[in-house]
Amino acid sequence: MARAGKTRNGQSGARALDVAALAGVSTATVSRAFNAPEKVAPEIREKVLKAATELGWMPHPAGAALASRRTWLAGVLIPTLDNDVFASQVGALQTRLSADGVTVLIGCSNYDADQAANQVRTMLARGVEALAIVGESHRPGMFETIAARGVPYVVTYSHRPGSPHPSVGFDNAAAFRRIARHLLDLGHRDFGLIHQPSIDNDRVMARIEGLRAALAEEGLALRPQHVREGPAAIAFGRESLRSIMEAPGPRPTAVVCGNDALAIGALLEARALGIRVPEDLSVTGFDDVAMAEQTDPPLTTMRVDNAEIGRQAADYLLTCLAGRNPAHPPPLESQLILRASTAAPSAG
């Protein structure tokens, strides 16, 4: 078969039909290899990618944009628009990218893995040149789809040792271990946990594992009736604290919450139940939102510099877009902020 050459402007004159012929597959398989790689056997996908590379072909329209001109577009995928944490991250990232003339497209998955995959495919079809994606727990094949398009990406809000992905964030497991260690050092031995939905959320899963590991080192464990999973909202924090404190068996003297909204709900419900914080119960949050310092009592929590995550993610992507191959960023440090919602358990 005659190989497709270059057009007069230097671009490849290859078509999907040429890639299919060289790889010995159908054009539909070529399309799936790029747009839904999880539906194609790995060995077939490799044949298609090899043929596409050899012919200098990329799918339209992203391929055409990348081959002929800059689109000056970057995509950001976040799980929700209802959280200041991600707003701060995206704002800082957008400020940094816009200074270099790059416009940001924002996709929101609403903690739905299928929506996340669809958002990424849509942004790739629009010709984004780079992607920042919160977390690494996504549908199989999603990162392969991005790599197949030759688009640089970075995972944000998470930094897992051994991860294959470039990441800008912090070690979620280590952060919760630090919270647990603080409470253990105060003398707490009975713990409760209120956390966000964990399905398709590697950040929450890592935090839970960090807490359980710290307790296990002391021969302790969470009682099932003292663990609550649900929406990351004040109302669920209230409902959960009541359920935990009314459960049969010994009451926990410390409740660890997956974010500050849940912790604020726990503080409100503790007061409604006549439970004194921190005398009768210690409560911790996560994120250090503005309200955490204003609660009564002020909330012990973990501070994360979300704006710095956005800035470093943007810098990593800009370096990639400049044609350089940067090293994976080192983890950021989270900071335990000690306030008046934690204390040693009462002797009684």
Side-chain angles (χ1 to χ4, degrees), residues 266-285:
L267 290 177
L268 292 171
E269 193 62 22
R271 173 166 292 187
L273 293 171
I275 298 170
R276 298 172 303 163
V277 176
E279 294 86 354
D280 303 324
L281 178 70
S282 287
V283 176
T284 65

Side-chain angles (χ1 to χ4, degrees), residues 41-65:
E43 62 274 13
I44 299 299
R45 186 168 67 241
E46 287 301 316
K47 288 175 62 176
V48 171
L49 296 179
K50 182 178 179 181
T53 300
E54 185 175 340
L55 294 174
W57 180 87
M58 290 187 72
H60 177 83

Side-chain angles (χ1 to χ4, degrees), residues 96-113:
R96 191 78 108 205
L97 291 179
S98 65
D100 274 54
V102 178
T103 297
V104 174
L105 304 181
I106 300 174
C108 178
S109 70
N110 296 306
Y111 290 101
D112 183 306

Side-chain angles (χ1 to χ4, degrees), residues 179-226:
I179 290 173
R181 191 69 261 166
H182 164 63
L183 294 168
L184 288 165
D185 289 346
L186 288 173
H188 293 280
R189 291 298 180 267
D190 290 300
F191 285 72
L193 171 63
I194 306 172
H195 66 86
Q196 310 93 313
S198 58
I199 186 169
D200 294 323
N201 192 326
D202 53 289
R203 288 89 61 207
V204 170
M205 289 299 298
R207 294 178 195 177
I208 295 170
E209 291 167 6
L211 174 61
R212 292 188 185 277
L215 296 182
E217 290 173 359
E218 301 293 331
L220 304 173
L222 292 163
R223 292 182 175 89
Q225 66 268 32
H226 293 161

Side-chain angles (χ1 to χ4, degrees), residues 5-346:
K6 298 285 185 179
T7 60
R8 284 180 297 177
N9 62 4
Q11 299 174 31
S12 169
R15 302 166 299 166
L17 187 65
D18 300 317
V19 175
L22 182 58
V25 300
S26 67
T27 54
T29 298
V30 171
S31 176
R32 282 194 295 271
F34 280 88
N35 297 309
E38 72 278 5
K39 297 180 180 179
V40 181
E43 62 274 13
I44 299 299
R45 186 168 67 241
E46 287 301 316
K47 288 175 62 176
V48 171
L49 296 179
K50 182 178 179 181
T53 300
E54 185 175 340
L55 294 174
W57 180 87
M58 290 187 72
H60 177 83
L66 289 169
S68 62
R69 64 189 184 278
R70 292 287 304 273
T71 64
W72 301 97
L73 295 174
V76 178
L77 179 68
I78 59 176
T80 178
L81 294 169
D82 296 331
N83 194 321
D84 291 346
V85 165
F86 300 116
S88 175
Q89 187 180 134
V90 171
L93 180 142
Q94 181 170 335
T95 297
R96 191 78 108 205
L97 291 179
S98 65
D100 274 54
V102 178
T103 297
V104 174
L105 304 181
I106 300 174
C108 178
S109 70
N110 296 306
Y111 290 101
D112 183 306
D114 290 328
Q115 280 194 45
N118 288 336
Q119 291 278 351
V120 166
R121 282 195 290 268
T122 298
M123 287 190 281
L124 288 172
R126 295 290 179 89
V128 296
E129 299 179 331
L131 280 163
I133 298 169
V134 171
E136 56 180 325
S137 289
H138 292 282
R139 285 286 180 258
M142 194 186 84
F143 288 110
E144 288 80 359
T145 296
I146 298 168
R149 298 292 182 99
V151 172
Y153 69 90
V154 64
V155 168
T156 65
Y157 210 67
S158 177
H159 201 291
R160 177 177 60 87
S163 171
H165 308 295
S167 304
V168 175
F170 57 97
D171 188 329
N172 282 272
F176 250 44
R177 286 178 70 100
R178 199 173 308 127
I179 290 173
R181 191 69 261 166
H182 164 63
L183 294 168
L184 288 165
D185 289 346
L186 288 173
H188 293 280
R189 291 298 180 267
D190 290 300
F191 285 72
L193 171 63
I194 306 172
H195 66 86
Q196 310 93 313
S198 58
I199 186 169
D200 294 323
N201 192 326
D202 53 289
R203 288 89 61 207
V204 170
M205 289 299 298
R207 294 178 195 177
I208 295 170
E209 291 167 6
L211 174 61
R212 292 188 185 277
L215 296 182
E217 290 173 359
E218 301 293 331
L220 304 173
L222 292 163
R223 292 182 175 89
Q225 66 268 32
H226 293 161
V227 178
R228 296 274 295 170
E229 176 175 350
I234 290 174
F236 184 71
R238 295 196 68 153
E239 171 194 327
S240 297
L241 194 281
R242 179 177 289 270
S243 174
I244 287 171
M245 301 311 283
E246 292 180 348
R251 280 183 166 186
T253 61
V255 171
V256 177
C257 298
N259 72 357
D260 288 341
L262 293 169
I264 291 169
L267 290 177
L268 292 171
E269 193 62 22
R271 173 166 292 187
L273 293 171
I275 298 170
R276 298 172 303 163
V277 176
E279 294 86 354
D280 303 324
L281 178 70
S282 287
V283 176
T284 65
F286 201 99
D287 291 326
D288 195 28
V289 299
M291 183 62 70
E293 194 173 8
Q294 306 302 321
T295 56
D296 183 18
L299 183 64
T300 291
T301 186
M302 189 66 74
R303 177 181 294 165
V304 177
D305 192 341
N306 295 293
E308 184 61 19
I309 291 175
R311 286 188 289 269
Q312 289 199 19
D315 288 343
Y316 177 85
L317 294 175
L318 287 171
T319 301
C320 292
L321 291 175
R324 299 193 294 274
N325 186 27
H328 287 197
L332 298 175
E333 287 297 323
S334 52
Q335 180 184 3
L336 182 60
I337 305 298
L338 299 178
R339 298 195 180 104
S341 70
T342 54
S346 60

